[in-house]
Structure formats: C-alpha cells, structure tokens
Amino acid sequence: MAIIGGGVQGLVILDALIGAGYSCALVTEGDVGAGQTLHSHGLLNTGFGMSDPALPRAAVEIVYPFFRDRGIELSDAWIVLPMPEFPALTTLPPTNLPVGFSPAFSETALQLPARSFNKLRMMETLTRDLQDRIIRGSVLGFRGRQPVEAVQVQPAGSSTAIEVQSRVVVVAAGCGSKRLLRELVGVTSQTEMIKHRLVHMVCLRAQARALPATSVVALPLALLVAAHQDSEGVTWYVTPMEMGGPSFDDVPNDAAADVYPEMLARACSALLALYPALADTDGLVVGQYAGYRQDIGDMPAQRMCEVVEGSVNVIAALPSGLVAPWLNATDALGLVRGLAEPGGTPTPLPAGGHGVRVGRAVEDRPGFVWTPWDEWVQSLPQTGSPTPG
C-alpha cells in the first residue's frame, strides 16, 4: 500500500494498515506534520454538539483510546458559550468562567466534552513508531492508471528515483490532495467538493498565573480559544471562526497563507469582549499566522474517504480536522480490505526513514514574532472587515 501525505491523516491510516498486516509505505514531501497538522490549535473537535452526533461517539470509542495507548495526555477544561440557534447545547451542564472573563457570559457558560492535546507530541510519537515506513521525497508520477501499479518517488537528497509498488494508493496529502487527485483522475465531483478556506490564528502567551488555562468556544463572538499549559506558561490559540467563505484552489502544500490585518482586528475586539482582563495581563505577548483548512463542501464536519471516481484503487481520505483522521482510517481499512488481502513480510523500504523528521509548530518556526500586547494592538487597523480573495 502507498499513502501520500505526512500529516496526521496519513500517519493514522499508515498505523491502521500496518496494524492489520499490510505492507505499507508513506511518502511525505517535507517534514512530517509541517502543513495543516502543525498549523492547528491541538483540539479534538467533535463538532461542539452542533453537527454529526457520530463525532462525539467516535471520539470516546476510537480517538481517546488511541491517544491513551500511546501515552499522549488529553486535557478537558473546555467551556462553550451558546447561542439559541443550537438547542442541542442546552443539555450540557452549567459551569463557571474563571476570573477575568466578562461577567456578561457567566450565566450561560456550559461544560463542553471536548479534549485538547499537544499537537507536536502527537506527531513525534506517531513518527517514532512508524519512521522506517516513511519515505521523505517528492511524488514524480504514477505507473498505470487502471489500476495504479506504482508511485514514482524522488527521495530527498538522492539523484535516483524509486518506485513504490502498490495495490492501493491512499491520497491523504492535505492541501496537496486536490491537485494530486486531479492529476490522477482529472476533475470529478469528488475533487470539486474539496474546498480550501482561510483560517487565522492569534497566539497569546503569558505566565500561568497571569493567564488562565481555560479553553472557550464563544459562539456569540465567533471565537475559539484553545488554551495549552506547559512548564513555561500558558498559550492561547485564538481563531476567529467562519463557516463557509471564499474557497481557493492555488494553495501551497504547507498550508501557509497571508495574514489579513482586518481579521486580526476582529479577533482582538472579540478577545477583549470575552476576556477584558487581557489589557492588564502582565508579560502578555502576541503573534499571529494564517493558513488554510480543508472542507468537504460548504460546512465543517463533512469528510470523504472513498474510492475516487475514474479509478479502481485510489482512495481519497480528507480532511484532517475534527476527529476525521481516525474515522477515515477505519473506513480506509475497510476499503483496502475490499481491494487487497494483507500478508507477506514487509520488505525494507529504499530510503525508508532517511531524513524523516517532525516539523516545527508554526509558533516555533523562524520568522514567527512575539510582540508585546500593547504594541500588537496599536499595529491593528481600527475598523474594517476581512476581504480575502
């Protein structure tokens, strides 16, 4: 089996297929997780009770045990501030907002059964366990079309291309999936369902005593705050939420995008409405970046894991948000079993594991700048709304 894509989706599928007895290779063009996976806020989002009810069940039955078995800790201090449009949330238990949050939301705060995780730790653990089945290199092309018989790969640092024989090809290449599928099978109804939309992230960091490690889905403010605490302090990953919006096809494989200052100004305004104490938080620093998320259709929580139209052995598995990677891994295993039997001793992969490393989280990469809160606020436009595209 050949899996194309070194994000969380590709690694979870690789893990599932190897566990079922298949000989597999995963091809990643760059550092593992360096695209959409490490752009994320490290939240196992189950749809906040607003979408598919299967998502919370899958989290409890599939995803949480997956993390526990690998020694990856999950935290669960999540609060949702609801809106009347989502009556399903009213069944959640009430909770209290910590000091510093606006009293205007205190009476409506509910406890949300969501979990957070250390995104970098997850990728390091998965990569360590699967490293010898990972090839770092570029996909040059394919041999055969009906079916695809092999993936042609140029390993990084090598002048000699290799072929990865494959009875099944799984495309889980994040923002590169749409382009790759079009190359393989052309434009289909499936490829046209794949949408890339902008996501902005504002990172705030302070000492633990200065900033609470509380994660909040503030629906009235269209704001998501994912809090992570470590030995050095607390980091808030803040996302101004948008449903739908413009879609882009010409996106880079690393999912990086330009930042729109107007969107940062919107996030700042919503943050101050949610947590007015930010203005007086000692040592608070801020940074920001933007990237692309992948949607299937016009709303989040939709996923695709199916044999691609115009092929007999190419499976598309995306996107990598919510709990989709684990649900897709289950579905992918079922599809692969219908196409090929497991068996045989896995042979060593040419270049397997060579140069394979986990990427840095965006906020740890060169070029990311932490700015004091007051300076950051002064740099923002005073009014306006984002107009990407």
Side-chain angles (χ1 to χ4, degrees), residues 36 39 175 196-199 248 250-252 254-258 290-294:
Q36 288 174 282
H39 274 82
C175 285
H196 304 110
R197 295 190 169 97
L198 279 173
V199 177
F248 306 85
D250 187 17
V251 300
D254 66 359
D258 293 331
Y292 292 96
R293 76 171 189 264
Q294 208 174 49

Side-chain angles (χ1 to χ4, degrees), residues 183-387:
E183 176 186 338
L184 266 170
V185 299
V187 175
T188 70
S189 62
Q190 291 158 311
T191 63
E192 299 318 286
M193 289 176 65
I194 302 172
K195 309 292 183 181
H196 304 110
R197 295 190 169 97
L198 279 173
V199 177
H200 282 71
M201 190 80 74
V202 178
C203 301
L204 292 88
R205 186 157 183 83
Q207 293 182 353
R209 292 185 299 274
L211 201 62
T214 303
S215 300
V216 181
V217 184
L219 295 177
L221 299 170
L223 199 71
L224 176 69
V225 178
H228 292 265
Q229 185 169 0
D230 56 32
S231 60
E232 298 179 358
V234 173
T235 302
W236 281 8
Y237 295 89
V238 179
T239 305
M241 295 186 292
E242 285 190 301
M243 302 296 180
S247 174
F248 306 85
D249 274 356
D250 187 17
V251 300
N253 287 345
D254 66 359
D258 293 331
V259 171
Y260 287 83
E262 294 85 358
M263 185 64 82
L264 302 180
R266 174 191 142 184
C268 179
S269 176
L271 269 170
L272 288 171
L274 175 67
Y275 192 80
L278 276 177
D280 301 314
T281 300
D282 292 336
L284 184 64
V285 292
V286 189
Q288 70 273 321
Y289 58 89
Y292 292 96
R293 76 171 189 264
Q294 208 174 49
D295 292 336
I296 303 300
D298 293 329
M299 292 294 289
Q302 304 300 313
R303 62 189 182 90
M304 176 190 298
C305 188
E306 52 196 52
V307 176
V308 180
E309 299 166 12
S311 76
V312 296
N313 69 335
V314 177
I315 297 171
L318 60 154
S320 59
L322 305 178
V323 298
W326 291 268
L327 289 171
N328 284 345
T330 300
D331 290 351
L333 179 56
L335 291 171
V336 169
R337 281 174 169 157
L339 295 169
E341 292 292 327
T345 302
T347 57
L349 285 177
H354 296 176
V356 173
R357 61 176 182 264
V358 176
R360 294 184 180 182
V362 177
E363 65 275 14
D364 294 330
R365 297 179 193 176
F368 183 91
V369 178
W370 289 106
T371 303
W373 168 262
D374 289 343
E375 292 182 20
W376 182 75
V377 172
Q378 292 172 6
S379 72
L380 299 177
Q382 298 301 305
T383 59
S385 59
T387 55

